[in-house]
Amino acid sequence: MMTIAMRISVFLCPLLLSASSFRTQEIGTDLGVVYAVQIADLNNDRQPDVVAVLPTSVVWFEAPSWKKHVIVDGATEKDNVAIAIHDIDGDGRLDFALAAAWRPADTATGGTLQWFRNSGPDGPWPIFKIGAEPTMHRIRFGDIDGDGRLELLALPLRGRGTKGPKWDQNGSRLLVYRIPQNPMQDEWRMEVAESTLQETHNLLPLDGRILVGAREGLFALARDARGQWSREQFGEGSPGEVKIGRVNRQRVIATVEPYHGNKFVLYEEPLPKINPQGAPPAWPSKIPTNRMWTKRLLDDQIFDGHGLGWADFDGDGSDELAAGWRGKPKFGVVLYKRGVDGEWKRTEMIDETMSCEDLAVGDLNGDGRPDIVAGGRVTRNVRIYWNEIEPQWKRHEVASGYKAWSAVAADFAGDRRPDVITNEMATHDYRTRLYVAPDWKPVELLEGVQIIHSAVMDVDGDGDLDYIGARYSPGLLFWLERPKNPLTERWPLHVIDDAEKRGVDGIHGIILGDIDRDGRLDLVANSAQPKGAFPESLAWFKIPRDPRQPWLRTVFASKDAPGLSHYHGIGDVNGDGRPDIASAAKTLPDGNWFAWWEQPARGSKAPWKKQMIAAGQEGATNILMADVNRDGRLDFVASRGHGFGLVWFEAPSWTPHELGAKLAGPHSLATGDLNGDGHVDIATCAKDSGIVAIFLNDGRGGFTEHHVYQDQSAYDIRLFDMDNDGDLDILIAGQESANVAWHENRIRRPAR
């Protein structure tokens, strides 16, 4: 099952109301029979679209407006019946294969297979031949030989030459087509994987095998290294649809029996045995087929069942089953869930008016919740069921009514609960306030200093946390000393560096790190102004013995950071044991770059050496260091806060990988493990798009984009455990949205 998590911002007009946690929107009417629906990004805008297969055409509905486009019309023999989407020619755009000439009673002719090359949203899409087989019914792409390339699996309903009413004279030929080197010119090589099973209604690639539902039961087909095919049965009955989910770590296959029948049936994976020590069971890496799976009747009160889809709709870590039927006297799309007692129940009637021929599941609006798309047979329509079950992130507001540049969290009150310090950026008095959890009662700390960025540190080593602030221009670095009674006493201000006394000027970003490896944190800041004592430079500051005195300043990138540098990252990039420093600059003619400075050996008189990561990065602002793909080397994670999108640069060649290309103004960036899987995830807030977004890492540098919240604009974002529950939440200082808020992390942890 494929889950698509892409980003879009949608305003929904509920044309139909669903009395449930799903909201219904009809996006297509009077279409004819909708044989199949799929979710895919056809125009490469990082937003999932909806594709529908109709008798004589294939159409797609473009997100987020759901405008209908015709890909092909009248160019194939009717009826078109099935589609499989894949980048067939390797050009970075999704193409599709199409099964047409659907004539279920004609077992001698028909059953064409073609593929359509994506030539862009405006088309036309060129058509290329693949093959043909009478009564061709279902097609899928899957890697069944383990070479990393997908094959096209094509399954007819009936065997050649069979006749009704039994249709049992010959078996159906399951065909495997390999994509040629040049799929536009070369022939698709074909082999027969199976030819004895009868009335094979559907298939599913899984674990290098092919699951097939046939009149004789549920089978898994496997191909060995010699090219020999074998099959194992693990389910009885005569399944039609075949879809697999994972429920409480157990794989479950849903079917319709018999095909077009009145029953939803489940096949549950045999549970592994607990070892004698009581440790968690060792789950197989491949689906076991050497014994029958447990068969369970889910529902026998349906009419002509046909659509199935698994997804974790309620965010509890286990999949639920969305299922539909298309036959009279009653239509339906329903949701089933297994309870804590192990029993399955129908939890929700999503729609009683939809003649469901097919359905697909995927996150259509980037909120982290799977939605449902259904195509109608008798109703001849396409509907979206928007999942409005409790989200994975819950929003809490700390303050509102003023614009804030920066916000930090820590236990400042001494009660073991995280508090927040933030500031007003656009009022005449520029107040800095401590907001005390849990009621967020404000305590005035400072006025008259406009703070653009901040940090938290035990500056004076007395065991409590102090506050570090930075003013842009004239540049000022200072710290507020936490007093014994932080809620009632004044927080003394101590100057670290002052542009009015020949200090750095144009301070936009500050970051803490042990630059000289003496066991104490140092402070890094930029001097981005083109004039002043240290124009277009970077500097780091060492705490003196008495931190209430000005700190020792070292300018290490003197006049070497032009273009209004912004934020910074610290880490040992080259593995020499010495922390290096990265920065970014947003403004031409000298900016639009990401770079890092290599720290020289201690005692060396050599300067810090600038190493360019990438130029031509319009609006570059943020850069952090993290081992994104877990190869033992630090990569760079960066954002274009005055441009569009994020990017991570893969060490050691700094190969760029783009993320969130349509996020406008992602002027904030943070990294951390958000879902507890041990991988580095990314969080940002796009100040111009007004979207809080996270990117969940698969551990290899592949990221899935999710939208946490919309209508939020920010300069600053931090990851911090705001509720002491052991996970990272998101704290945001709202700029144009004029607020400070945090988003409670409710992502379920993966099973260990």
Side-chain angles (χ1 to χ4, degrees):
M1 181 185 63
M2 179 175 67
T3 300
I4 301 174
M6 310 292 289
R7 76 162 211 93
I8 61 176
S9 174
V10 203
F11 176 75
L12 300 179
C13 294
L15 306 179
L16 302 167
L17 294 179
S18 179
S20 69
S21 47
F22 289 85
R23 181 173 10 152
T24 304
Q25 182 184 12
E26 195 149 61
I27 63 172
T29 60
D30 300 322
L31 300 172
V33 175
V34 182
Y35 278 104
V37 290
Q38 287 201 29
I39 299 171
D41 178 13
L42 289 192
N43 57 351
N44 278 6
D45 66 351
R46 309 292 181 94
Q47 303 183 71
D49 311 300
V50 173
V51 184
V53 177
L54 312 178
T56 61
S57 63
V58 178
V59 302
W60 69 284
F61 300 90
E62 182 181 4
S65 65
W66 308 115
K67 178 182 177 181
K68 186 178 78 171
H69 302 268
V70 178
I71 298 176
V72 60
D73 187 13
T76 55
E77 295 184 61
K78 69 176 300 189
D79 285 358
N80 303 324
V81 70
I83 192 171
I85 298 176
H86 175 56
D87 180 7
I88 294 173
D89 58 359
D91 66 352
R93 295 182 294 198
L94 291 176
D95 317 297
F96 65 83
L98 181 72
W102 166 241
R103 300 189 286 268
D106 181 358
T107 61
T109 62
T112 62
L113 281 173
Q114 297 139 308
W115 76 275
F116 295 73
R117 184 173 181 267
N118 189 340
S119 59
D122 299 325
W125 290 36
I127 308 173
F128 303 91
K129 181 181 178 181
I130 298 176
E133 184 75 6
T135 70
M136 184 57 64
H137 187 245
R138 290 289 181 265
I139 56 176
R140 311 277 189 195
F141 281 104
D143 182 10
I144 50 86
D145 55 10
D147 65 352
R149 300 188 66 192
L150 301 186
E151 289 78 44
L152 178 65
L153 316 176
L155 185 70
L157 177 64
R158 293 169 174 144
R160 290 188 175 192
T162 57
K163 298 179 180 181
K166 291 186 176 183
W167 307 101
D168 61 355
Q169 294 85 8
N170 299 305
S172 303
R173 299 203 314 164
L174 170 56
L175 309 179
V176 178
Y177 290 89
R178 285 172 170 78
I179 303 174
Q181 192 71 28
N182 186 344
M184 291 175 287
Q185 297 181 2
D186 300 341
E187 182 180 355
W188 290 54
R189 183 165 55 90
M190 183 269 287
E191 67 175 304
V192 179
E194 166 62 38
S195 61
T196 62
L197 297 175
Q198 297 171 354
E199 291 196 304
T200 50
H201 191 265
N202 219 320
L203 78 164
L204 184 70
L206 181 69
D207 296 337
R209 306 184 185 191
I210 307 173
L211 305 187
V212 177
R215 177 188 293 183
E216 297 88 344
L218 197 58
F219 295 85
L221 307 180
R223 186 179 189 272
D224 62 23
R226 299 172 297 173
Q228 300 298 311
W229 288 90
S230 61
R231 78 180 193 199
E232 294 179 280
Q233 185 174 4
F234 62 100
E236 298 177 332
S238 52
E241 305 302 306
V242 179
K243 292 291 178 67
I244 191 163
R246 186 177 290 271
V247 182
N248 296 337
R249 301 186 67 201
Q250 184 180 12
R251 285 176 285 197
V252 181
I253 295 173
T255 71
V256 175
E257 296 189 8
Y259 82 84
H260 300 177
N262 68 321
K263 299 175 183 176
F264 291 140
V265 176
L266 301 178
Y267 293 88
E268 296 178 345
E269 178 182 22
L271 293 170
K273 296 180 179 180
I274 304 292
N275 66 37
Q277 289 74 35
W283 288 78
S285 60
K286 287 195 172 185
I287 187 168
T289 57
N290 58 349
R291 54 182 171 142
M292 302 296 280
W293 285 32
T294 303
K295 184 177 180 179
R296 188 187 295 268
L297 175 64
L298 184 61
D299 199 333
D300 62 359
Q301 300 299 309
I302 63 171
F303 303 90
D304 203 357
H306 216 261
L308 299 172
W310 290 96
D312 183 9
F313 293 102
D314 60 4
D316 68 349
S318 289
D319 289 342
E320 292 79 44
L321 176 66
W325 62 92
R326 66 185 191 179
K328 296 180 178 180
K330 188 177 180 181
F331 306 140
V333 178
V334 298
L335 194 70
Y336 299 93
K337 180 179 179 64
R338 189 166 77 179
V340 294
D341 58 357
E343 296 299 317
W344 285 87
K345 297 178 181 177
R346 180 190 289 189
T347 62
E348 193 164 330
M349 176 62 75
I350 299 173
D351 192 345
E352 295 184 81
T353 65
M354 180 62 161
S355 171
C356 183
E357 175 78 11
D358 191 28
L359 61 80
V361 297
D363 183 3
L364 289 169
N365 59 357
D367 65 357
R369 294 174 288 184
D371 309 296
I372 302 170
V373 177
R377 185 174 183 87
V378 176
T379 49
R380 304 192 172 200
N381 58 347
V382 175
R383 289 175 181 171
I384 298 174
Y385 304 104
W386 296 98
N387 184 357
E388 296 185 342
I389 299 173
E390 181 69 21
Q392 293 182 328
W393 296 87
K394 182 178 179 180
R395 186 174 182 271
H396 305 265
E397 194 153 277
V398 175
S400 62
Y402 63 85
K403 299 179 179 181
W405 251 327
S406 183
V408 293
D411 176 18
F412 296 109
D415 58 2
R416 299 185 179 182
R417 291 182 297 200
D419 312 298
V420 173
I421 295 180
T422 186
N423 56 79
E424 296 184 17
M425 64 171 277
T427 59
H428 66 280
D429 53 6
Y430 301 125
R431 295 181 182 271
T432 298
R433 297 182 178 93
L434 164 65
Y435 289 87
V436 183
D439 301 325
W440 308 117
K441 181 181 178 181
V443 177
E444 302 287 338
L445 300 184
L446 180 68
E447 63 177 319
V449 181
Q450 187 180 32
I451 298 169
I452 194 170
H453 210 216
S454 56
V456 177
M457 177 184 175
D458 182 7
V459 175
D460 51 8
D462 63 355
D464 56 40
L465 293 172
D466 309 298
Y467 175 80
I468 300 176
R471 183 179 66 197
Y472 178 68
S473 187
L476 179 68
L477 289 169
F478 66 93
W479 65 284
L480 297 180
E481 181 181 355
R482 180 191 182 274
K484 184 176 180 180
N485 298 305
L487 306 186
T488 57
E489 297 181 34
R490 184 180 68 88
W491 289 49
L493 184 149
H494 307 286
V495 174
I496 298 172
D497 194 76
D498 188 352
E500 296 181 338
K501 298 181 179 179
R502 292 190 57 79
V504 297
D505 192 17
I507 305 167
H508 197 286
I510 60 175
I511 193 170
L512 300 171
D514 185 5
I515 305 300
D516 56 0
R517 297 176 294 164
D518 66 350
R520 297 193 69 189
L521 292 176
D522 308 298
L523 178 68
V524 177
N526 55 343
S527 185
Q529 285 293 303
K531 299 180 180 180
F534 308 103
E536 299 180 324
S537 303
L538 304 175
W540 70 275
F541 299 83
K542 182 178 177 62
I543 302 176
R545 183 168 297 179
D546 181 0
R548 295 162 184 83
Q549 299 297 316
W551 295 16
L552 178 63
R553 178 182 59 238
T554 300
V555 178
F556 65 89
S558 181
K559 302 180 182 179
D560 201 22
L564 290 180
S565 59
H566 262 52
Y567 297 104
H568 322 294
I570 294 178
D572 182 7
V573 178
N574 55 6
D576 62 2
R578 298 184 294 271
D580 308 301
I581 299 174
S583 191
K586 69 164 186 173
T587 304
L588 292 176
D590 301 313
N592 288 358
W593 50 259
F594 297 109
W596 66 282
W597 280 261
E598 182 179 0
Q599 183 178 173
R602 180 176 293 182
S604 171
K605 295 183 179 180
W608 289 55
K609 186 177 180 181
K610 184 178 183 179
Q611 307 281 4
M612 188 64 69
I613 302 168
Q617 303 291 312
E618 185 176 353
T621 52
N622 307 70
I623 188 163
L624 296 170
M625 303 175 193
D627 184 2
V628 171
N629 54 0
R630 304 189 71 174
D631 64 353
R633 295 176 292 200
L634 284 181
D635 311 294
F636 291 104
V637 179
S639 69
R640 308 179 189 98
H642 288 275
F644 289 85
L646 288 72
V647 58
W648 76 272
F649 297 98
E650 184 177 358
S653 60
W654 313 129
T655 302
H657 303 273
E658 296 289 335
L659 303 170
K662 288 201 169 184
L663 289 175
H667 201 285
S668 57
L669 187 69
T671 58
D673 182 5
L674 291 170
N675 58 354
D677 62 359
H679 309 317
V680 176
D681 307 310
I682 303 170
T684 188
C685 182
K687 65 180 180 67
D688 299 321
S689 297
I691 294 173
V692 182
I694 62 171
F695 297 82
L696 299 181
N697 187 358
D698 64 4
R700 302 180 298 274
F703 288 88
T704 303
E705 183 176 351
H706 304 264
H707 290 184
V708 174
Y709 193 75
Q710 300 183 46
D711 195 26
Q712 175 72 52
S713 180
Y715 248 49
D716 193 21
I717 190 170
R718 310 289 174 111
L719 300 183
F720 196 86
D721 186 1
M722 297 293 296
D723 49 5
N724 289 329
D725 66 350
D727 57 26
L728 292 174
D729 308 299
I730 301 174
L731 174 66
I732 297 175
Q735 182 209 26
E736 294 304 321
S737 52
N739 64 344
V740 177
W742 71 277
H743 296 265
E744 179 185 348
N745 188 349
R746 293 184 170 185
I747 299 176
R748 299 297 191 269
R749 297 295 177 266
R752 299 293 187 183

